[in-house]
PDB file of all heavy atoms in Angstrom:
ATOM      1  N   PRO A 777      17.499   6.155   6.052  1.00 96.00           N
ATOM      2  CA  PRO A 777      18.206   7.489   5.809  1.00 96.00           C
ATOM      3  C   PRO A 777      17.172   8.463   5.278  1.00 96.00           C
ATOM      4  O   PRO A 777      17.110   8.733   4.079  1.00 96.00           O
ATOM      5  CB  PRO A 777      19.261   7.155   4.801  1.00 96.00           C
ATOM      6  CG  PRO A 777      18.724   5.980   4.018  1.00 96.00           C
ATOM      7  CD  PRO A 777      17.875   5.180   4.976  1.00 96.00           C
ATOM      8  N   ARG A 778      16.389   9.056   6.145  1.00 95.00           N
ATOM      9  CA  ARG A 778      15.208   9.787   5.735  1.00 95.00           C
ATOM     10  C   ARG A 778      15.514  10.976   4.764  1.00 95.00           C
ATOM     11  O   ARG A 778      14.929  11.038   3.712  1.00 95.00           O
ATOM     12  CB  ARG A 778      14.472  10.336   6.964  1.00 95.00           C
ATOM     13  CG  ARG A 778      14.046   9.170   7.955  1.00 95.00           C
ATOM     14  CD  ARG A 778      13.367   9.730   9.170  1.00 95.00           C
ATOM     15  NE  ARG A 778      14.093  10.702   9.920  1.00 95.00           N
ATOM     16  CZ  ARG A 778      15.003  10.438  10.863  1.00 95.00           C
ATOM     17  NH1 ARG A 778      15.382   9.137  11.049  1.00 95.00           N
ATOM     18  NH2 ARG A 778      15.611  11.379  11.539  1.00 95.00           N
ATOM     19  N   ARG A 779      16.395  11.855   5.220  1.00 96.00           N
ATOM     20  CA  ARG A 779      16.736  13.033   4.337  1.00 96.00           C
ATOM     21  C   ARG A 779      17.452  12.558   3.117  1.00 96.00           C
ATOM     22  O   ARG A 779      17.267  13.155   2.045  1.00 96.00           O
ATOM     23  CB  ARG A 779      17.523  14.016   5.104  1.00 96.00           C
ATOM     24  CG  ARG A 779      16.737  14.697   6.250  1.00 96.00           C
ATOM     25  CD  ARG A 779      17.349  16.030   6.638  1.00 96.00           C
ATOM     26  NE  ARG A 779      16.620  16.681   7.694  1.00 96.00           N
ATOM     27  CZ  ARG A 779      16.715  17.898   8.013  1.00 96.00           C
ATOM     28  NH1 ARG A 779      17.488  18.733   7.360  1.00 96.00           N
ATOM     29  NH2 ARG A 779      16.024  18.399   8.994  1.00 96.00           N
ATOM     30  N   ARG A 780      18.302  11.558   3.247  1.00 96.00           N
ATOM     31  CA  ARG A 780      19.050  11.086   2.113  1.00 96.00           C
ATOM     32  C   ARG A 780      18.153  10.525   1.007  1.00 96.00           C
ATOM     33  O   ARG A 780      18.367  10.628  -0.200  1.00 96.00           O
ATOM     34  CB  ARG A 780      20.093  10.027   2.497  1.00 96.00           C
ATOM     35  CG  ARG A 780      21.133   9.733   1.458  1.00 96.00           C
ATOM     36  CD  ARG A 780      22.190   8.787   1.959  1.00 96.00           C
ATOM     37  NE  ARG A 780      23.071   8.412   0.922  1.00 96.00           N
ATOM     38  CZ  ARG A 780      23.924   7.361   1.046  1.00 96.00           C
ATOM     39  NH1 ARG A 780      24.006   6.664   2.152  1.00 96.00           N
ATOM     40  NH2 ARG A 780      24.704   7.039   0.025  1.00 96.00           N
ATOM     41  N   LEU A 781      17.020   9.906   1.425  1.00 97.00           N
ATOM     42  CA  LEU A 781      16.113   9.373   0.440  1.00 97.00           C
ATOM     43  C   LEU A 781      15.526  10.565  -0.408  1.00 97.00           C
ATOM     44  O   LEU A 781      15.471  10.480  -1.648  1.00 97.00           O
ATOM     45  CB  LEU A 781      14.898   8.729   1.145  1.00 97.00           C
ATOM     46  CG  LEU A 781      15.174   7.324   1.719  1.00 97.00           C
ATOM     47  CD1 LEU A 781      14.010   6.892   2.626  1.00 97.00           C
ATOM     48  CD2 LEU A 781      15.369   6.278   0.625  1.00 97.00           C
ATOM     49  N   GLY A 782      15.177  11.650   0.261  1.00 97.00           N
ATOM     50  CA  GLY A 782      14.697  12.788  -0.453  1.00 97.00           C
ATOM     51  C   GLY A 782      15.743  13.518  -1.310  1.00 97.00           C
ATOM     52  O   GLY A 782      15.462  13.847  -2.461  1.00 97.00           O
ATOM     53  N   THR A 783      16.930  13.637  -0.801  1.00 97.00           N
ATOM     54  CA  THR A 783      18.058  14.214  -1.571  1.00 97.00           C
ATOM     55  C   THR A 783      18.327  13.408  -2.753  1.00 97.00           C
ATOM     56  O   THR A 783      18.517  13.970  -3.843  1.00 97.00           O
ATOM     57  CB  THR A 783      19.298  14.322  -0.650  1.00 97.00           C
ATOM     58  OG1 THR A 783      19.006  15.131   0.482  1.00 97.00           O
ATOM     59  CG2 THR A 783      20.420  14.934  -1.428  1.00 97.00           C
ATOM     60  N   THR A 784      18.399  12.068  -2.642  1.00 97.00           N
ATOM     61  CA  THR A 784      18.734  11.209  -3.786  1.00 97.00           C
ATOM     62  C   THR A 784      17.615  11.277  -4.847  1.00 97.00           C
ATOM     63  O   THR A 784      17.935  11.319  -6.048  1.00 97.00           O
ATOM     64  CB  THR A 784      18.856   9.735  -3.264  1.00 97.00           C
ATOM     65  OG1 THR A 784      19.944   9.669  -2.324  1.00 97.00           O
ATOM     66  CG2 THR A 784      19.208   8.833  -4.462  1.00 97.00           C
ATOM     67  N   ALA A 785      16.355  11.337  -4.396  1.00 97.00           N
ATOM     68  CA  ALA A 785      15.303  11.487  -5.353  1.00 97.00           C
ATOM     69  C   ALA A 785      15.439  12.725  -6.164  1.00 97.00           C
ATOM     70  O   ALA A 785      15.215  12.785  -7.395  1.00 97.00           O
ATOM     71  CB  ALA A 785      13.932  11.450  -4.669  1.00 97.00           C
ATOM     72  N   ALA A 786      15.730  13.838  -5.476  1.00 96.00           N
ATOM     73  CA  ALA A 786      15.936  15.169  -6.142  1.00 96.00           C
ATOM     74  C   ALA A 786      17.088  15.095  -7.103  1.00 96.00           C
ATOM     75  O   ALA A 786      17.015  15.601  -8.259  1.00 96.00           O
ATOM     76  CB  ALA A 786      16.165  16.251  -5.129  1.00 96.00           C
ATOM     77  N   GLU A 787      18.184  14.483  -6.735  1.00 96.00           N
ATOM     78  CA  GLU A 787      19.356  14.334  -7.588  1.00 96.00           C
ATOM     79  C   GLU A 787      19.113  13.556  -8.850  1.00 96.00           C
ATOM     80  O   GLU A 787      19.554  13.883  -9.943  1.00 96.00           O
ATOM     81  CB  GLU A 787      20.514  13.756  -6.833  1.00 96.00           C
ATOM     82  CG  GLU A 787      21.067  14.691  -5.752  1.00 96.00           C
ATOM     83  CD  GLU A 787      22.082  13.960  -4.819  1.00 96.00           C
ATOM     84  OE1 GLU A 787      22.170  12.699  -4.839  1.00 96.00           O
ATOM     85  OE2 GLU A 787      22.784  14.701  -4.027  1.00 96.00           O
ATOM     86  N   LEU A 788      18.275  12.484  -8.698  1.00 96.00           N
ATOM     87  CA  LEU A 788      17.904  11.673  -9.871  1.00 96.00           C
ATOM     88  C   LEU A 788      16.995  12.502 -10.839  1.00 96.00           C
ATOM     89  O   LEU A 788      17.207  12.379 -12.029  1.00 96.00           O
ATOM     90  CB  LEU A 788      17.169  10.391  -9.401  1.00 96.00           C
ATOM     91  CG  LEU A 788      18.019   9.322  -8.706  1.00 96.00           C
ATOM     92  CD1 LEU A 788      17.104   8.201  -8.201  1.00 96.00           C
ATOM     93  CD2 LEU A 788      19.066   8.781  -9.679  1.00 96.00           C
TER      94      LEU A 788
END
Side-chain angles (χ1 to χ4, degrees):
R778 303 181 303 278
R779 291 202 182 197
R780 192 177 175 194
L781 286 169
T783 301
T784 302
E787 290 170 347
L788 289 174

